[in-house]
Structures are given as C-alpha cells and as structure tokens.
Amino acid sequence: MNVKQLEAFCKVIETGSMSDAGRVLGVSQPAISKSVRLLEKALKLTLFKRVGDHLHPTMEAQSLYPSARRIFDELKSTEELSRKLRMAEAGTLKLAATYAVTAAYMTEAISIFHRLRPLVEIRFMTLPPRPIIELAQAHEVEAGFLYEPITGSALTCAPVCETQMVCVLPLHHRLAGNAVIDLSDLRTDTIISFSENSYGGGLIKRKCEERGIRWRADIEVNQSEVAMKMVEAGIGTAVVDSLAIAKAMAGNIIVKPFRPSATLTVSVIGARDARNSRLCDEFTKCFMDVVTQVVRTSSGYHETIAARRLTE
C-alpha cells in the first residue's frame, strides 16, 4: 500500500468512477484501475463492484474511506511541510539575546524576518549571558546574540560588529562643548552605568585601572535605555554603549566619545556540533542587516546630534 494507491481509492469514492478520478488526478483511467487493484491485493479486500455502468464501493470500502482519507491528508500535509522546511518557508526557530542586544537590534530583526517567513514559528527569549551560553551548549537555542566574548570548544562565536562606550550628557551640561569626555572630567557628576559585574561595566573598570583611574558607577543599570532616560530626567551622566543610542535616543541628551575607550563586540553564538538551519542563517542575515543600518545611522551621530541640540 502506498500514497498513490490511497489517493486513487479516495478519488474513486469521491467521484464515483475510475475515469473521473483519473481526470481529476491528471492520470489515465487504466492507471487508476491498476492502483485500486494493487490496493485491493494489499488489503485482501474487494473495494468496488460494478453494477451495469456504475461503480459502487463495497461496505468494506465505505468503512475504510474515512481512515484512508485521513491518512492520505496527513501524508500530503507531511509532504507539504517537508517542502516548506526545505525551502525555509516553515519550521521553528529558537533564539535568545541579552537585554542590550534585544533593545538595540532584535525587535526590528524579528519584524523583518517575520515578514519574509510568516509561517515560521519563532521562540525568542531575552536572558542574561550565562543562561544563553548554557542553552546554546544544550542545543535549546539555535543562535544566541550577546556582547560578551565566548571561549571554549563547545560553541562557535562569530563577531558581528564593534561598539564603543560613549558618554551621554544632559543637553545643557557644562561639558557639552567638549569634543571628548574623559572620566576625569566627571569627578563631580553622578555617573550612571553598568555594574562592574557585567561585561560592559567590567570592561570599563579594567580600562580605567590600566590608566590608574578608579572607576565608579553611582547608579548601576542593566539597560542603556534606562540610563539615557535618567540622563534626560537630569539625574546624572551616563556611560553606555554607542550602538544602543540610535535605538533609544532621548530628546534632551548629547552624546560624546568617552575616554578611556572601551570596545564591545556583538557576537552570535551556537553549538559547534550542530549545523545551522537555513532559517537560522536567514535570520542571522536579517540581524546583520539591522546592525548595518544602526551603524550607518550612528555614523557621525555624536557630533551631529550634539551640534543640533546645542543650537536649539
């Protein structure tokens, strides 16, 4: 028994004749007759009886038809799903990203991908770096997106772009005219930044220690957007990553290069012993396109925005 035999049997039941079934399926009447005979042989049952010019299904055929129709429909659905999976039109894509990467890029990347592949189910989680690494190692997510550098043989780590730490000032701050803001310029400011236990905060601390400068964050946050909202509210001055600026820009802020300079690398990670699906590759391309657009938007951003804000 095979799919073609089931299809022929169901279509003869539905049309009432071998010739009509053949026309619907685009095959000859003898081909339909052969498929039905082979099915009868496989099942050891008589499925049709001819009375005059009419073909009538037997009681056995009528009993078998609902199950045969259901099996055939499921097989066709499986074939169609397989085709969509091959063409990356359907499937499930499991992703995870840190809060900072999600805020800067993920919403737009998922939106673009969903428009391209509306039948794909997306399972997305926003998590701290360590759980993302663990999920990638356990094959629970196909790709993880984060700032932290990853070492070890269990994971692949592909850098996507680099971002510099910048200083975000209130519009009329005393340092608004400076081309670059040095940490030493902020002795009397309330500094809003990442915890030194985070990768970004730890990186700033190490860069400061290399210059013999003590780093402090008076107010610790885990999201750049929150820091910038605090700056806009006049609470203090923020040190955050530059690529988050274009996605979470407040209205009354000025952005300046920060010294000592600290560079963060945005990377995509995955299990080394797993081959990325076509869906994952396509999503990663969408993600990188969004990053490219953000970089383009942020190019020359600091001076342009500062000049515009200062003249308003």
PDB file of all heavy atoms in Angstrom, residues 274-286:
ATOM      1  N   ALA A 274      26.498  21.419  15.963  1.00  0.00           N
ATOM      2  CA  ALA A 274      25.205  21.493  15.273  1.00  0.00           C
ATOM      3  C   ALA A 274      25.332  22.403  14.058  1.00  0.00           C
ATOM      4  O   ALA A 274      25.897  23.493  14.146  1.00  0.00           O
ATOM      5  CB  ALA A 274      24.124  22.023  16.210  1.00  0.00           C
ATOM      6  N   ARG A 275      24.811  21.942  12.946  1.00  0.00           N
ATOM      7  CA  ARG A 275      24.828  22.747  11.728  1.00  0.00           C
ATOM      8  C   ARG A 275      23.623  23.679  11.730  1.00  0.00           C
ATOM      9  O   ARG A 275      22.499  23.250  11.958  1.00  0.00           O
ATOM     10  CB  ARG A 275      24.785  21.844  10.492  1.00  0.00           C
ATOM     11  CG  ARG A 275      24.864  22.592   9.170  1.00  0.00           C
ATOM     12  CD  ARG A 275      24.855  21.617   8.009  1.00  0.00           C
ATOM     13  NE  ARG A 275      24.907  22.306   6.730  1.00  0.00           N
ATOM     14  CZ  ARG A 275      23.838  22.767   6.090  1.00  0.00           C
ATOM     15  NH1 ARG A 275      22.648  22.612   6.637  1.00  0.00           N
ATOM     16  NH2 ARG A 275      23.957  23.376   4.926  1.00  0.00           N
ATOM     17  N   ASN A 276      23.858  24.963  11.487  1.00  0.00           N
ATOM     18  CA  ASN A 276      22.758  25.918  11.467  1.00  0.00           C
ATOM     19  C   ASN A 276      21.740  25.562  10.390  1.00  0.00           C
ATOM     20  O   ASN A 276      22.098  25.158   9.283  1.00  0.00           O
ATOM     21  CB  ASN A 276      23.277  27.332  11.187  1.00  0.00           C
ATOM     22  CG  ASN A 276      23.885  27.974  12.410  1.00  0.00           C
ATOM     23  OD1 ASN A 276      23.841  27.409  13.500  1.00  0.00           O
ATOM     24  ND2 ASN A 276      24.452  29.143  12.240  1.00  0.00           N
ATOM     25  N   SER A 277      20.465  25.723  10.721  1.00  0.00           N
ATOM     26  CA  SER A 277      19.418  25.529   9.730  1.00  0.00           C
ATOM     27  C   SER A 277      19.422  26.701   8.756  1.00  0.00           C
ATOM     28  O   SER A 277      20.007  27.756   9.013  1.00  0.00           O
ATOM     29  CB  SER A 277      18.051  25.441  10.410  1.00  0.00           C
ATOM     30  OG  SER A 277      17.707  26.700  10.983  1.00  0.00           O
ATOM     31  N   ARG A 278      18.746  26.498   7.650  1.00  0.00           N
ATOM     32  CA  ARG A 278      18.619  27.583   6.676  1.00  0.00           C
ATOM     33  C   ARG A 278      17.873  28.762   7.289  1.00  0.00           C
ATOM     34  O   ARG A 278      18.187  29.924   7.013  1.00  0.00           O
ATOM     35  CB  ARG A 278      17.885  27.060   5.439  1.00  0.00           C
ATOM     36  CG  ARG A 278      17.798  28.057   4.299  1.00  0.00           C
ATOM     37  CD  ARG A 278      17.243  27.386   3.059  1.00  0.00           C
ATOM     38  NE  ARG A 278      16.982  28.352   2.013  1.00  0.00           N
ATOM     39  CZ  ARG A 278      16.470  28.042   0.827  1.00  0.00           C
ATOM     40  NH1 ARG A 278      16.200  26.775   0.558  1.00  0.00           N
ATOM     41  NH2 ARG A 278      16.242  28.965  -0.077  1.00  0.00           N
ATOM     42  N   LEU A 279      16.891  28.461   8.138  1.00  0.00           N
ATOM     43  CA  LEU A 279      16.142  29.524   8.809  1.00  0.00           C
ATOM     44  C   LEU A 279      17.062  30.360   9.691  1.00  0.00           C
ATOM     45  O   LEU A 279      16.971  31.591   9.716  1.00  0.00           O
ATOM     46  CB  LEU A 279      15.021  28.928   9.655  1.00  0.00           C
ATOM     47  CG  LEU A 279      13.847  28.300   8.903  1.00  0.00           C
ATOM     48  CD1 LEU A 279      12.884  27.654   9.887  1.00  0.00           C
ATOM     49  CD2 LEU A 279      13.130  29.339   8.059  1.00  0.00           C
ATOM     50  N   CYS A 280      17.943  29.690  10.426  1.00  0.00           N
ATOM     51  CA  CYS A 280      18.864  30.405  11.308  1.00  0.00           C
ATOM     52  C   CYS A 280      19.805  31.292  10.500  1.00  0.00           C
ATOM     53  O   CYS A 280      20.064  32.438  10.872  1.00  0.00           O
ATOM     54  CB  CYS A 280      19.653  29.412  12.150  1.00  0.00           C
ATOM     55  SG  CYS A 280      20.715  30.187  13.392  1.00  0.00           S
ATOM     56  N   ASP A 281      20.294  30.771   9.386  1.00  0.00           N
ATOM     57  CA  ASP A 281      21.179  31.571   8.534  1.00  0.00           C
ATOM     58  C   ASP A 281      20.449  32.800   8.000  1.00  0.00           C
ATOM     59  O   ASP A 281      21.016  33.897   7.939  1.00  0.00           O
ATOM     60  CB  ASP A 281      21.702  30.727   7.372  1.00  0.00           C
ATOM     61  CG  ASP A 281      22.699  29.668   7.827  1.00  0.00           C
ATOM     62  OD1 ASP A 281      23.268  29.823   8.923  1.00  0.00           O
ATOM     63  OD2 ASP A 281      22.897  28.686   7.086  1.00  0.00           O
ATOM     64  N   GLU A 282      19.183  32.615   7.614  1.00  0.00           N
ATOM     65  CA  GLU A 282      18.420  33.747   7.088  1.00  0.00           C
ATOM     66  C   GLU A 282      18.152  34.780   8.179  1.00  0.00           C
ATOM     67  O   GLU A 282      18.223  35.988   7.933  1.00  0.00           O
ATOM     68  CB  GLU A 282      17.097  33.266   6.482  1.00  0.00           C
ATOM     69  CG  GLU A 282      17.275  32.539   5.157  1.00  0.00           C
ATOM     70  CD  GLU A 282      15.961  32.383   4.413  1.00  0.00           C
ATOM     71  OE1 GLU A 282      14.961  33.025   4.809  1.00  0.00           O
ATOM     72  OE2 GLU A 282      15.932  31.631   3.432  1.00  0.00           O
ATOM     73  N   PHE A 283      17.844  34.299   9.396  1.00  0.00           N
ATOM     74  CA  PHE A 283      17.607  35.259  10.474  1.00  0.00           C
ATOM     75  C   PHE A 283      18.884  36.026  10.807  1.00  0.00           C
ATOM     76  O   PHE A 283      18.846  37.237  11.043  1.00  0.00           O
ATOM     77  CB  PHE A 283      17.085  34.578  11.735  1.00  0.00           C
ATOM     78  CG  PHE A 283      16.866  35.565  12.849  1.00  0.00           C
ATOM     79  CD1 PHE A 283      15.700  36.301  12.908  1.00  0.00           C
ATOM     80  CD2 PHE A 283      17.853  35.802  13.797  1.00  0.00           C
ATOM     81  CE1 PHE A 283      15.513  37.258  13.900  1.00  0.00           C
ATOM     82  CE2 PHE A 283      17.678  36.747  14.787  1.00  0.00           C
ATOM     83  CZ  PHE A 283      16.498  37.478  14.838  1.00  0.00           C
ATOM     84  N   THR A 284      20.011  35.320  10.843  1.00  0.00           N
ATOM     85  CA  THR A 284      21.281  35.984  11.143  1.00  0.00           C
ATOM     86  C   THR A 284      21.570  37.073  10.120  1.00  0.00           C
ATOM     87  O   THR A 284      22.073  38.150  10.465  1.00  0.00           O
ATOM     88  CB  THR A 284      22.426  34.960  11.179  1.00  0.00           C
ATOM     89  OG1 THR A 284      22.134  33.967  12.178  1.00  0.00           O
ATOM     90  CG2 THR A 284      23.744  35.626  11.524  1.00  0.00           C
ATOM     91  N   LYS A 285      21.223  36.821   8.866  1.00  0.00           N
ATOM     92  CA  LYS A 285      21.408  37.851   7.838  1.00  0.00           C
ATOM     93  C   LYS A 285      20.510  39.059   8.126  1.00  0.00           C
ATOM     94  O   LYS A 285      20.944  40.210   7.998  1.00  0.00           O
ATOM     95  CB  LYS A 285      21.099  37.294   6.453  1.00  0.00           C
ATOM     96  CG  LYS A 285      21.333  38.308   5.330  1.00  0.00           C
ATOM     97  CD  LYS A 285      20.993  37.748   3.973  1.00  0.00           C
ATOM     98  CE  LYS A 285      21.297  38.777   2.878  1.00  0.00           C
ATOM     99  NZ  LYS A 285      20.581  40.058   3.090  1.00  0.00           N
ATOM    100  N   CYS A 286      19.248  38.803   8.522  1.00  0.00           N
ATOM    101  CA  CYS A 286      18.354  39.911   8.883  1.00  0.00           C
ATOM    102  C   CYS A 286      18.940  40.713  10.041  1.00  0.00           C
ATOM    103  O   CYS A 286      18.914  41.950  10.043  1.00  0.00           O
ATOM    104  CB  CYS A 286      16.973  39.376   9.266  1.00  0.00           C
ATOM    105  SG  CYS A 286      16.012  38.698   7.905  1.00  0.00           S
TER     106      CYS A 286
END
